[in-house]
Amino acid sequence: NAGVTQTPKFQVLKTGQSMTLQCAQDMNHEYMSWYRQDPGMGLRLIHYSVGAGITDQGEVPNGYNVSRSTTEDFPLRLLSAAPSQTSVYFCASSSIPYGYTFGSGTRLTVV
Amino acid sequence: AQKVTQAQTEISVVEKEDVTLDCVYETRDTTYYLFWYKQPPSGELVFLIRRNSFDEQNEISGRYSWNFQKSTSSFNFTITASQVVDSAVYFCALSDNTDKLIFGTGTRLQVFP
């Protein structure tokens, strides 16, 4: 099925560990982004990319790295996980003005 | 700066009642897009509607309707004859020419039988 694929769906990390959340889309969208969702705060933009080789920071970028080597993939790296990064993460791709497609989310717990 | 405000944190209604979810936005751009998404208990984000800033026509889709008013910077969402399956968190969002999508904090709707 066409769309945005996020892996893994669930992850538990220990404080200080690193990991990469994977995101892939097969719609040839130029724009991709990562959000985190926390209770009462909606979805907040972490990083985004307007095309391969171009990334920029969103509202809450600290503690996260991204890269965009291909149009299809936009991985999110946690360099040294902290309990404050416990959240649900969503990847999205879009082709303005046609709207955004979201992945199914990754529930991350940092202990 | 862009901002989306959903002042209603949680709304509870009884089945068959009508309910309106409010959304107020701020932007300096003349071209922008407004969205509503539904997040059911299963957690995925379901696209409901997109409206561009040049189209102020209200839209109706089944039991759902949207009222876009540029004069008050509002894009409200009404569910007519609500059903238990409408229980979810609803997000209003705004996108400008930079492609960034900014979300409100969401309104949790609970529909009781």
Side-chain angles (χ1 to χ4, degrees):
Chain A
N1 289 339
V4 178
T5 303
Q6 277 185 248
T7 54
K9 292 191 181 300
F10 301 94
Q11 184 71 50
V12 178
L13 286 179
K14 293 183 178 179
T15 298
Q17 286 185 318
S18 62
M19 79 159 295
T20 299
L21 279 62
Q22 301 291 344
C23 177
Q25 54 97 1
D26 57 4
M27 297 170 285
N28 204 33
H29 287 168
E30 289 297 322
Y31 184 84
M32 296 185 73
S33 52
W34 277 101
Y35 291 84
R36 60 176 289 172
Q37 182 179 14
D38 302 294
M41 304 188 76
L43 282 84
R44 294 181 293 169
L45 183 63
I46 304 172
H47 284 287
Y48 64 99
S49 170
V50 299
I54 306 169
T55 63
D56 206 345
Q57 296 181 350
E59 182 184 355
V60 287
N62 292 340
Y64 307 95
N65 270 1
V66 292
S67 60
R68 184 92 179 271
S69 56
T70 66
T71 299
E72 294 79 19
D73 299 300
F74 191 45
L76 178 72
R77 298 181 185 86
L78 280 70
L79 308 173
S80 178
S84 61
Q85 294 178 303
T86 293
S87 187
V88 180
Y89 292 83
F90 287 96
C91 179
S93 74
S94 71
S95 179
I96 291 294
Y98 301 110
Y100 294 74
T101 301
F102 285 84
S104 57
T106 297
R107 187 173 295 274
L108 175 68
T109 302
V110 182
V111 298
Chain B
Q2 294 177 296
K3 186 177 180 181
V4 176
T5 301
Q6 294 180 256
Q8 304 151 307
T9 304
E10 188 162 340
I11 301 175
S12 296
V13 299
V14 177
E15 221 173 8
K16 297 184 183 177
E17 285 186 24
D18 298 346
V19 58
T20 295
L21 282 60
D22 297 332
C23 174
V24 175
Y25 63 93
E26 297 176 26
T27 180
R28 293 181 179 177
D29 293 321
T30 56
T31 302
Y32 52 89
Y33 301 88
L34 294 163
F35 300 79
W36 277 95
Y37 283 87
K38 173 182 180 180
Q39 187 176 46
S42 53
E44 74 272 23
L45 287 161
V46 179
F47 167 81
L48 295 178
I49 189 172
R50 181 194 79 249
R51 171 68 71 219
N52 75 57
S53 53
F54 299 108
D55 182 2
E56 286 194 72
Q57 276 193 326
N58 292 331
E59 181 154 341
I60 298 174
S61 176
R63 296 184 296 105
Y64 295 172
S65 62
W66 291 269
N67 184 353
F68 178 27
Q69 292 196 337
K70 289 177 76 171
S71 60
T72 56
S73 296
S74 64
F75 187 44
N76 296 337
F77 172 32
T78 297
I79 302 174
T80 303
S82 59
Q83 300 176 1
V84 172
V85 294
D86 295 327
S87 297
V89 180
Y90 291 87
F91 291 100
C92 180
L94 167 69
S95 174
D96 64 6
N97 284 329
T98 66
D99 292 339
K100 288 190 289 185
L101 186 63
I102 304 300
F103 284 82
T105 52
T107 297
R108 180 178 299 279
L109 174 64
Q110 295 195 74
V111 182
F112 294 99

